[in-house]
Amino acid sequence: MQRRNALSVLRAKCARPLAAVAAVLALAALPTTAPAAAAQSPEAPSAAAAGFTVFTNERGAHPPGHPQYGATKATVVYDVFAYKCDAAGCTSNGSTTLPTQAVYEAKVREYMGANQFNGEATAPVVLDFEDIELTQVPTGQAATNAYNLWRQLLTWTRNAAPQAPICHYGYDWQTRNQDLIKQLHLDNLLNCFAPRAYFDDGQTLAAWTSRFEASVARDRAMAPGHPIYPYVNPVSFPLQTYQPGNTWAHMFQNVKAKADGVVLWETTANNANACPWVSQHSYDMGVITGTSSTGPFQVSATLPSGNCTVQRGTTTTVPVTLTNTSTATTPATQMQSFNSTPGFSGSWKYWSVPSLAPGATWSTELPMAVAATQTTSTALLRIRTDISETRWAVIVQ
């Protein structure tokens, strides 16, 4: 992960990918691409597939709102103390006087609180202290000093977060000082892994997969009972280019097969280049949570923007077409209310959907209003009839 200030300043050492542009929104559940992103508040109820949990680290104005797709809010604690260790000892912000237990625990609670990540009490607390991460510290006395500091900090973190699994963010494909890391897990001071699994600029999917698998293999060998929650992001680093949807699909395919969950680290969706990953993410989360699009209709909607973006404080007329993709004639049905997503409202121009033969289409319009007070930068909308439901994810600007 990269350290961020309020404006998310990234460090090239630990971040990741996602790129692309979308022109028309296909609302049906696609094989590898998903509908557009959702507009629920980040406080919406979350759900996760049994055995695999998607966590999110997000904060600030207009976060993406991953809980609306089924993610659980978790906490990352950044190294505001600037810990460093060498053979002579450890320092904080250049001083050999380290923060007290009270100061440290207050900072952990602050990051867990509503003004920061607002992580659930039982969700992971991940310490992003990269300069003392043991694969990054030289072997010998420097590593011993860092290890002793970790033991103290992890004990204090447990006091501040008594119900949470505690991980440290790391470069788990590397094996330097592995015996020390293993001891922290054996003593249950660390009880989960949070390996960096971002995409780098120009990195192939094969290269990403190889490094991810090396991280998983190291972690499973070190502490088989401790869950692995890789850190991912829809942009590649350091250029922060949004990845195409198939890259995001590849990531989910791998983490679902080999890890116990995944952490979405401070993702953004602030322009049309993010449309492909937002759509894919909505699709994948529908699969994970068992809430995919259903029914015989493929639904398409074309926004005036020409992509998946909508504007707060505006009303946009959206043409919507339903196509019967089943092999049987559908019964006549009704469009249902479009007011289920916070900040979005609208009333269909035509509500009554006639019986449709296989391959037949029917069209209506939706004057869709987006409130100026709508909060998240993406929104999961749903187009429903009595016999179908289609996920539709949009980016809100």
Side-chain angles (χ1 to χ4, degrees):
M1 162 195 338
Q2 311 287 331
R3 295 200 186 101
R4 294 190 173 199
N5 58 19
L7 295 177
S8 305
V9 178
L10 294 164
R11 211 166 58 172
K13 188 177 175 186
C14 52
R16 289 339 185 77
L18 255 118
V21 183
V24 177
L25 291 175
L27 301 173
L30 305 179
T32 31
T33 355
Q40 248 170 329
S41 75
E43 288 69 38
S46 62
F52 186 88
T53 306
V54 178
F55 297 102
T56 180
N57 294 155
E58 58 184 66
R59 57 181 176 169
H62 303 308
H66 291 297
Q68 67 193 312
Y69 303 91
T72 298
K73 284 188 173 183
T75 299
V76 57
V77 178
Y78 294 126
D79 187 11
V80 295
F81 303 112
Y83 290 116
K84 293 184 185 299
C85 294
D86 57 24
C90 296
T91 61
S92 170
N93 289 305
S95 171
T96 56
T97 301
L98 303 185
T100 64
Q101 178 176 353
V103 169
Y104 177 87
E105 291 184 10
K107 184 56 67 174
V108 172
R109 293 189 185 97
E110 177 186 335
Y111 275 116
M112 295 179 70
N115 291 331
Q116 290 278 352
F117 293 104
N118 200 25
E120 294 190 12
T122 56
V125 171
V126 179
L127 306 181
D128 181 22
F129 297 173
E130 294 174 49
D131 286 338
I132 60 169
E133 204 274 316
L134 286 165
T135 66
Q136 307 301 298
V137 176
T139 58
Q141 189 59 47
T144 299
N145 291 338
Y147 168 79
N148 290 332
L149 177 59
W150 272 111
R151 293 190 69 88
Q152 181 178 72
L153 297 180
L154 292 169
T155 300
W156 292 351
T157 303
R158 171 60 60 223
N159 291 337
Q163 297 175 270
I166 300 172
C167 327
H168 71 58
Y169 172 81
Y171 303 84
D172 295 13
W173 64 92
Q174 299 177 359
T175 57
R176 181 188 293 170
N177 298 316
Q178 182 164 317
D179 57 332
L180 299 179
I181 300 170
K182 182 176 182 178
Q183 192 60 51
L184 294 174
H185 283 273
L186 289 175
D187 292 343
N188 220 35
L189 292 169
L190 285 171
N191 31 56
C192 53
F193 295 94
R196 177 191 192 274
Y198 303 114
F199 291 92
D200 294 321
D201 294 319
Q203 186 180 36
T204 66
L205 292 183
W208 178 89
T209 303
S210 176
R211 191 166 67 183
F212 170 66
E213 289 178 342
S215 295
V216 170
R218 187 208 77 154
D219 295 349
R220 293 290 186 218
M222 187 179 296
H226 287 181
I228 301 172
Y229 303 126
Y231 261 73
V232 299
N233 193 284
V235 299
S236 59
F237 291 94
L239 296 181
Q240 299 186 55
T241 303
Y242 287 105
Q243 294 292 354
N246 61 357
T247 299
W248 199 241
H250 178 85
M251 180 279 295
F252 259 119
Q253 179 183 4
N254 278 270
V255 296
K256 285 193 295 182
K258 298 159 189 167
D260 304 283
V262 69
V263 185
L264 310 174
W265 174 67
E266 297 222 48
T267 62
T268 62
N270 51 23
N271 61 65
N273 291 334
C275 288
W277 95 260
V278 168
S279 176
Q280 182 66 45
H281 183 67
S282 174
Y283 171 79
D284 283 314
M285 290 301 295
V287 173
I288 289 170
T289 59
T291 57
S292 299
S293 299
T294 59
F297 296 130
Q298 175 179 312
V299 181
S300 62
T302 305
L303 291 170
S305 62
N307 49 56
C308 76
T309 62
V310 296
Q311 301 292 319
R312 289 184 184 84
T314 65
T315 298
T316 301
T317 298
V318 182
V320 175
T321 298
L322 281 64
T323 302
N324 179 9
T325 59
S326 73
T327 58
T329 297
T330 58
T333 185
Q334 292 284 321
M335 301 300 294
Q336 295 185 4
S337 171
F338 189 73
N339 299 320
S340 60
T341 298
F344 283 75
S345 61
S347 182
W348 298 101
K349 183 175 182 180
Y350 306 114
W351 288 77
S352 298
V353 183
S355 175
L356 295 176
T361 64
W362 176 83
S363 296
T364 185
E365 292 180 355
L366 176 68
M368 184 174 69
V370 186
T373 54
Q374 190 276 343
T375 57
T376 61
S377 64
T378 79
L380 179 59
L381 311 175
R382 296 182 184 274
I383 295 180
R384 297 183 174 97
T385 71
D386 293 333
I387 59 173
S388 66
E389 178 172 315
T390 299
R391 297 166 68 94
W392 178 22
V394 298
I395 292 174
V396 190
Q397 297 181 313

